[in-house]
């Protein structure tokens, strides 16, 4: 059965390919530039572009899929919206890329497992499983990234939510910058010893 690749996998292929096959740039002047330095600069620029595109894809996954599923599983309803601050989002994405870069398929070969930890004042301290999100549905997962989020417990936010409710607006549940991200491999490395 032949399946049509999804739009996300097409974007992954553009920004994070398995290997770089060729790169052409006809505007270089070989007499004025050192060829090795110009190639290094070109590949460094290409890598930055692909990393930016990868961050854009992962940002869309976290904001659209993960936050939506969190609000459904946590049963926030229409009175409360969920917010993931940009610095926290960037920190999560950096950690995801760092943990995934030594894997056989890189970021593409992972599954994001999201859990939400209740506030420390809650009697139940076990995290609530939100869901599993394959980072590329066309690639076999070789590892899982277990991301545990929690809501911020700041007095400033509680007062702001009280004011919002008095004004008839939606309250906000803001994700705290304290999160846990753990990688679990789904395969045994070839360096393991046999007895």
């Amino acid at each position: 059965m032949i399946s049509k690749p999804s739009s996300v996998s097409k974007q992954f292929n553009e920004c994070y390919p398995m290997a770089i096959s060729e790169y052409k740039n006809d505007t270089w002047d070989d007499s004025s530039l050192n060829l090795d330095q110009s190639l290094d600069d070109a590949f460094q620029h290409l890598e930055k572009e692909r990393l930016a595109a990868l961050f854009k894809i992962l940002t869309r996954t976290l904001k659209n899929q993960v936050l939506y599923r969190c609000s459904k599983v946590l049963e926030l309803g229409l009175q409360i919206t969920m917010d993931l601050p940009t610095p926290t989002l960037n920190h999560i994405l950096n950690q995801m890329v760092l943990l995934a870069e030594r894997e056989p398929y890189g970021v593409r070969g992972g599954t994001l497992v999201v859990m939400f930890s209740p506030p420390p004042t809650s009697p139940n301290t076990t995290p609530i499983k939100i869901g599993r999100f394959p980072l590329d549905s066309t690639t076999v997962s070789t590892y899982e990234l277990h991301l545990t989020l929690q809501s911020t417990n700041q007095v400033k936010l509680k007062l702001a939510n009280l004011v919002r409710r008095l004004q008839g607006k939606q309250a906000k549940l803001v994700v705290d910058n304290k999160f846990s991200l753990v990688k679990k491999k789904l395969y045994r490395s070839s360096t393991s010893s046999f007895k």
Side-chain angles (χ1 to χ4, degrees):
M1 184 170 131
I2 299 174
S3 64
K4 186 174 155 184
S6 67
S7 62
V8 174
S9 65
K10 287 180 187 176
Q11 291 173 347
F12 267 118
N13 285 331
E14 291 173 6
C15 71
Y16 204 80
M18 296 293 186
I20 298 172
S21 58
E22 66 180 80
Y23 183 78
K24 295 180 182 175
N25 190 349
D26 298 330
T27 61
W28 289 342
D29 183 12
D30 290 329
S31 62
S32 65
L33 295 174
N34 181 2
L35 187 59
D36 289 337
Q37 184 63 36
S38 61
L39 279 175
D40 288 343
D41 290 343
F43 281 116
Q44 193 174 37
H45 178 70
L46 185 64
E47 186 66 28
K48 284 182 183 179
E49 284 180 354
R50 289 187 171 158
L51 190 60
L54 176 65
F55 271 59
K56 187 176 178 182
I57 292 168
L58 292 175
T59 299
R60 189 175 44 220
T61 299
L62 278 173
K63 284 195 169 192
N64 294 347
Q65 295 177 5
V66 173
L67 290 183
Y68 175 74
R69 180 93 53 92
C70 280
S71 59
K72 285 190 90 165
V73 171
L74 296 175
E75 298 174 349
L76 297 180
L78 298 174
Q79 291 83 16
I80 301 174
T81 60
M82 194 158 191
D83 184 36
L84 181 61
T86 304
T88 304
L89 174 68
N90 290 337
H91 190 60
I92 291 171
L93 294 178
N94 283 327
Q95 292 299 315
M96 285 174 64
V97 170
L98 284 174
L99 290 172
E101 69 183 351
R102 297 217 182 253
E103 291 298 319
Y105 296 114
V107 174
R108 296 174 64 188
T111 298
L112 183 65
V113 179
V114 181
M115 294 171 282
F116 202 86
S117 183
T121 58
S122 174
N124 185 5
T125 58
T126 58
I128 300 166
K129 187 169 182 178
I130 301 298
R132 299 169 51 88
F133 303 90
L135 297 175
D136 185 3
S137 59
T138 63
T139 306
V140 176
S141 291
T142 58
Y143 67 96
E144 291 179 339
L145 290 174
H146 290 255
L147 175 65
T148 305
L149 302 172
Q150 64 183 15
S151 64
T152 188
N153 200 15
Q154 297 176 349
V155 176
K156 177 180 154 184
L157 180 65
K158 289 180 181 180
L159 288 174
N161 279 336
L162 180 64
V163 170
R164 279 191 196 99
R165 286 185 181 159
L166 291 174
Q167 293 174 343
K169 296 180 182 177
Q170 293 179 329
K172 283 189 180 180
L173 175 70
V174 179
V175 176
D176 198 8
N177 60 357
K178 297 174 187 161
F179 63 89
S180 168
L181 187 64
V182 178
K183 178 171 76 170
K184 294 186 179 179
K185 291 185 178 187
L186 300 177
Y187 64 95
R188 197 178 305 187
S189 66
S190 62
T191 59
S192 62
S193 62
F194 289 35
K195 291 189 178 188

